[in-house]
Amino acid sequence: MGMWILESKSMEHVPGTTRYFDDPERPQAATSESATGLKCDTSGPVPIILVPQPSDDPNDPLNWPLWKRDVILLILSVVSIFATSLGPILAANTITLSLVFVVKFTKVAELTGYFLLGVGIAGILCVPSARIWGKRHLFLLGTVILIFSSGWGGASRSYTSLLWARIFQGIGTAPFEALVNAAVGDMYFVHERGKRMALTNLAVFGGAFFTPILVGKITHTLGWWWSFYFVTIFIGVCLPLLFFYVPETAYRRSTHLNTDLASTDDLQPLSKPHESGREANNSTEIEPNTATDTTQGEVEKGVPEPGSQPVLNGHHFAGADTPLKTYTEKLLPFSGRKTDDNFFKLFLRPFPLFVHPAIFWACLIQGTMIGWTVFIGIMLAAIFIGPPLFWGEVNTGYAYTGAFLGSVIGFLIAGGLADWSAKYMTRKNNGIYEPEFRIILVIPQTIFGCTGLYLFGVVCSNPTHYSWVWSVFAFGLQVGGMVIGAVAASLYIVDAHRDIAIEAFTCILIFKNFFSFGLTFSAYDWIIKGGVYPTFMWIASIQVLVSLFAIPMYVFGKRNRSFFHKHDILKMTGLA
């Protein structure tokens, strides 16, 4: 048992467990078998084995220069900020829209719920489409939908029109919520993912909190409709960047290269001619392998010869002789099928995965905190706009300053700890990396998030006794915890279950959006019937309990990976 993680009783090597540091001539998998010549990143003082192993195909995203991958991720993150900003965009406009459309306060809050409903429904459809045709066409389609639906929202002059615009805004946002984190797994090796995953989670879950700060002032000076028009303008500017500079990140790679997905049953040594001299230049491009001394035994074992095109299930995988795609080819929204699986089967795949302990844990860790964030956002309008403070939309928008700063601080903490803690614990574990090391981030999530929830309940139950600063501070703590928890769950899913990452992120998306959708309908009733203090004490205590689930997930996570590799839920349900 290494680092308090229980070993599998039935498998010597469990998918997800990899050799992170150490001599590249030693096996990448922590077994006694020899697997020499793995490609490594030697830019640092200690060689880091590249997990997964890049192919020799120049079109493989893992072979792209690091700067190119980072530019792609930056563009996706920027678009994600504008897309997800539509979630809380009405937070400071609650009273204004209530008067404009002559509807109850709760009906305006439900507009946020319908946005979340659109995200949840469309997210389900993203899975089969992304699995079969990749992610690029969904990013492009989502961006176009966001442009016209945001313009529609600004032009709406009835509650019903705005409601449907909000649903379509959610549909356009779905590809970014569902697939941006999965794109990190497409483009980066395990040791490169931590900071990038923190960035994408800041963009998807944290950057949106800057929007209400501006929306209050925009509404006061230009009118509420301009908050939607500005989103239309900014996303319109991002569309050509997305079209010209974000190629397809999904790649159909040979199974033998997915060393992080290998198990005792299917682990095979990689081709010996990948000499240790084949190093990654600062974790970027890998030179094609040109050696030709593959042995007959390796051929018999199914290891492809260097420069050859391996065949698996009738599919020829690209090798070093594959020509680099032209710029025009990269602009196409579709670049061929990424799987031969049936669309209907892929559509159903996320649903049985809710009983997978790791995925359900990730849904709870990420989804509940996001739900409480939506809950607090709804309550801010009631607490600050109503008595005894009677704030207007400008000051109510400024109250989100704490949430925005909290998201940035959460990003810095998660980004700083994610890779550092994984490397530190890997060294302590004799060079063996376990995905459960990512779960350590739940500790700062609990400290920040639960403290923020408890504090918010205390200070908002008596706003005349406590300064409004404490409410804003508490909200910032809670949002910081939310971002850290989102990074923890996302990293664990990508590292432990990368083969089902898209389905897993869809499960998280469905859970958090339908959970938050329900809260938009019940938030005011909870506060009116139970009171602010008791309600938030319950909420904070529930979140502490959810965080404690990380302990058995950490201890038994490896056994869980082993069990569900041997008892594949998707195979059992006929959806594999």
Side-chain angles (χ1 to χ4, degrees), residues 5-166:
I5 298 173
L6 294 179
E7 297 291 338
S8 170
K9 294 180 179 180
S10 59
M11 298 178 68
E12 181 183 357
H13 176 68
V14 180
T17 298
T18 57
R19 183 168 291 281
Y20 194 95
F21 293 111
D22 219 341
D23 184 354
E25 289 298 316
R26 293 182 62 182
Q28 178 270 341
T31 68
S32 59
E33 299 176 9
S34 174
T36 60
L38 293 165
K39 296 179 182 178
C40 297
D41 174 9
T42 57
S43 60
V46 180
I48 299 178
I49 296 171
L50 298 179
V51 181
Q53 286 281 289
S55 68
D56 292 329
D57 180 5
N59 299 300
D60 185 348
L62 292 177
N63 286 332
W64 295 343
L66 185 60
W67 66 264
K68 178 179 179 178
R69 290 179 279 157
D70 285 343
V71 167
I72 293 169
L73 192 67
L74 180 61
I75 294 173
L76 290 175
S77 297
V78 170
V79 181
S80 297
I81 291 174
F82 292 126
T84 56
S85 70
L86 289 165
I89 200 169
L90 301 180
N93 290 340
T94 306
I95 293 297
T96 302
L97 294 178
S98 178
L99 296 174
V100 168
F101 296 123
V102 194
V103 294
K104 294 181 180 180
F105 198 66
T106 54
K107 298 293 287 184
V108 177
E110 289 171 10
L111 290 172
T112 299
Y114 285 112
F115 169 84
L116 298 172
L117 180 65
V119 176
I121 294 174
I124 301 172
L125 298 174
C126 286
V127 175
S129 189
R131 277 289 189 186
I132 296 175
W133 297 294
K135 303 177 181 67
R136 175 172 164 81
H137 72 284
L138 290 170
F139 289 140
L140 291 172
L141 178 61
T143 303
V144 172
I145 293 175
L146 286 170
I147 292 172
F148 91 77
S149 62
S150 297
W152 177 4
S156 296
R157 292 299 176 263
S158 70
Y159 178 84
T160 302
S161 177
L162 183 57
L163 185 153
W164 280 102
R166 294 291 283 164

